[in-house]
Amino acid sequence: MEGVAESQRTLYPYVTGSSVVAIKYKDGILMAADMGGSYGSTLRYKSVERIKPIGKHSLLGASGEISDFQEILRYLDELILYDNMWDDGNSLGPKEVHNYLTRVMYNRRNKFNPLWNALVLGGVKNGQKYLGMVNMIGINFEDNHVATGLGNHLARPILRDEWHENLTFEEGVKLLEKCMRVLLYRDRSAVNKIQISKITDEGATAFPPFSLKTYWEFSAFKNPTVGAEGSW
């Protein structure tokens, strides 16, 4: 029929962000991500904020399609506004927001029109720390440390070795920097402009972006294909 638009589906992502890494520490949650936005394999945008506070108690980080992340933020704005309208002295905590996100992601997956993101949701409410993630097909879990994208393969082994529940803020930041440095060396989509945010019972704080100190003189970096078949 003329004038009726055909049904559209997200077949592949356009502008994407790479890994998000998050940990519990002594006072709350720490989350780190770089600020790159890749258009295919072109690092097109270098100031994309991918960590946002949600309501009073939660922090959301996203990798994957940036426009879908913006759509998720619109859903959450509506959710928090509706919750505030009750004005009953209660507010949604990180567990509730994470459960909501798992339902949204799984619902969209079942419509064969997924939101092309992996999300990390952390927060603190009444002294209880919460950290979980959900991917684009609705798979979700809670843990003491989580990572999305390539971080799941490269950062989590470091976190398994070095994380403990009594990490101070300074130790937590140092551990996240170590993870982000490994990702910067190994992930072609990563950019050396890192943002770290924390959330405690006092609320969320986003720290200014910074660059990591790097060292590129390792022999494996200088001539990575030496000795490989067909190399020069």
Side-chain angles (χ1 to χ4, degrees):
M1 205 165 76
E2 274 188 57
V4 177
E6 61 185 62
S7 176
Q8 297 288 315
R9 295 284 183 269
T10 304
L11 300 178
Y12 44 83
Y14 282 85
V15 179
T16 57
S18 61
S19 310
V20 179
V21 184
I23 59 174
K24 290 180 182 175
Y25 77 107
K26 198 165 56 136
D27 302 321
I29 304 292
L30 275 167
M31 199 177 290
D34 70 26
M35 300 186 76
S38 298
Y39 181 71
S41 57
T42 304
L43 196 56
R44 173 67 183 80
Y45 304 101
K46 298 183 178 69
S47 292
V48 181
E49 285 189 33
R50 297 190 289 118
I51 301 175
K52 299 280 187 181
I54 305 295
K56 294 177 184 173
H57 308 290
S58 306
L59 205 56
L60 177 68
S63 58
E65 171 62 57
I66 302 298
S67 64
D68 282 349
F69 178 46
Q70 291 167 337
E71 178 74 356
I72 289 164
L73 290 175
R74 280 193 284 272
Y75 291 162
L76 289 170
D77 279 346
E78 206 173 297
L79 183 77
I80 299 299
L81 181 65
Y82 182 73
D83 182 50
N84 289 343
M85 279 162 54
W86 286 95
D87 198 22
D88 57 359
N90 193 16
S91 54
L92 291 173
K95 188 175 177 67
E96 291 80 45
V97 177
H98 184 234
N99 282 339
Y100 171 78
L101 288 170
T102 64
R103 298 304 88 216
V104 168
M105 300 303 268
Y106 187 61
N107 173 260
R108 287 290 294 261
R109 174 258 195 200
N110 284 343
K111 291 178 176 176
F112 291 88
N113 189 19
L115 292 161
W116 216 285
N117 297 100
L119 304 171
V120 174
L121 195 287
V124 185
K125 187 178 180 186
N126 301 330
Q128 294 292 309
K129 292 173 279 196
Y130 184 92
L131 183 59
M133 67 90 63
V134 55
N135 73 2
M136 63 183 277
I137 58 172
I139 294 170
N140 63 89
F141 59 89
E142 298 169 52
D143 210 337
N144 295 317
H145 47 76
V146 297
T148 65
L150 210 58
N152 215 9
H153 305 280
L154 298 182
R156 290 206 73 195
I158 298 169
L159 295 172
R160 286 188 194 109
D161 283 346
E162 301 187 23
W163 181 89
H164 58 88
E165 58 187 320
N166 293 317
L167 283 171
T168 63
F169 172 72
E170 290 75 17
E171 288 168 339
V173 168
K174 201 171 172 185
L175 183 54
L176 285 180
E177 284 181 2
K178 183 175 183 179
C179 292
M180 297 309 287
R181 188 175 289 107
V182 169
L183 286 166
L184 180 61
Y185 286 147
R186 293 295 177 190
D187 183 357
R188 64 124 190 230
S189 302
V191 60
N192 196 2
K193 189 177 182 184
I194 311 295
Q195 188 174 30
I196 289 181
S197 296
K198 72 168 183 177
I199 187 159
T200 64
D201 262 329
E202 277 76 58
T205 310
F207 299 101
F210 64 95
S211 294
L212 295 165
K213 287 189 174 70
T214 55
Y215 178 76
W216 294 96
E217 298 306 308
F218 296 111
S219 56
F221 287 164
K222 283 183 176 175
N223 196 348
T225 59
V226 67
E229 198 175 322
S231 65
W232 289 90

